[in-house]
Amino acid sequence: MNKLYYFIVLFASSLIYSCNSENKDTSKENVAAIIDKAMPTIKCYAYMFDSDTVSLSIKNEGTIVTGNLVYNYQQKDKNVGTINGIMEGNMLIAYYTFMSEGVKSVRQVAFKLEGNNFVEGYGNSYLQNDSMKFTKIDSLQFNKNTDLVEVPCR
């Protein structure tokens, strides 16, 4: 029994030691990767054609995305607002809270990341709790004619 006792103590000690001694990689590359994951990423995108513009600036913190979105189409009211949403794979699904004609509105927006560009999704929507929501996210149509190209942030 004495040998069994020493074996159990030795086994438990080695198990505890191995659990507490993680492999800590302090190389420059690993430290940079950890910092990149911890730091929010800020990127800007824009669509411009004639006098129509759409600008999107986003800040990623993991899968959480916040930012600003502005639609400025000729002969339509300018919409200026914020987005709050998530990145699911290459898809940004967010709520856009904006002002138009002095009225605050909320609607769901979707953008698909294709390469370095975002393409906005369109589809049927319905009103729920004073917000417009897409009926089916997976059936959205993406109009490549209005690609938001990555641009330097100001």
Side-chain angles (χ1 to χ4, degrees):
M1 179 140 179
N2 204 7
K3 287 182 182 180
L4 180 61
Y5 175 77
Y6 287 117
F7 176 75
I8 292 172
V9 169
L10 180 63
F11 178 75
S13 298
S14 64
L15 183 63
I16 290 169
Y17 176 77
S18 67
C19 289
N20 287 332
S21 63
E22 295 177 21
N23 183 12
K24 297 188 178 164
D25 183 2
T26 58
S27 67
K28 268 187 177 179
E29 294 80 17
N30 190 50
V31 171
I34 291 169
I35 290 171
D36 283 347
K37 286 182 182 178
M39 297 293 290
T41 304
I42 299 172
K43 292 191 175 185
C44 297
Y45 302 86
Y47 163 78
M48 292 175 243
F49 182 75
D50 290 337
S51 60
D52 294 339
T53 61
V54 178
S55 64
L56 171 67
S57 64
I58 60 171
K59 179 170 78 169
N60 284 39
E61 294 187 69
T63 59
I64 305 298
V65 177
T66 58
N68 298 304
L69 179 59
V70 177
Y71 293 95
N72 193 8
Y73 290 117
Q74 185 177 6
Q75 298 183 8
K76 289 191 176 185
D77 291 321
K78 183 177 183 179
N79 295 339
V80 177
T82 60
I83 63 166
N84 292 297
I86 57 171
M87 273 307 280
E88 293 180 349
N90 69 334
M91 186 84 78
L92 168 59
I93 308 295
Y95 283 95
Y96 175 46
T97 304
F98 62 99
M99 295 296 291
S100 180
E101 295 184 3
V103 177
K104 180 180 170 183
S105 300
V106 179
R107 72 176 176 92
Q108 198 171 38
V109 293
F111 294 90
K112 184 189 292 185
L113 188 59
E114 293 185 354
N116 290 333
N117 301 342
F118 268 116
V119 181
E120 187 166 8
Y122 300 92
N124 293 332
S125 55
Y126 64 97
L127 184 64
Q128 180 184 32
N129 299 329
D130 296 328
S131 299
M132 293 301 293
K133 286 186 71 168
F134 290 118
T135 305
K136 292 183 180 179
I137 296 287
D138 56 352
S139 65
L140 295 176
Q141 301 296 311
F142 293 87
N143 184 355
K144 292 189 72 77
N145 293 331
T146 55
D147 277 8
L148 278 77
V149 178
E150 187 173 357
V151 296
C153 295
R154 295 185 214 185

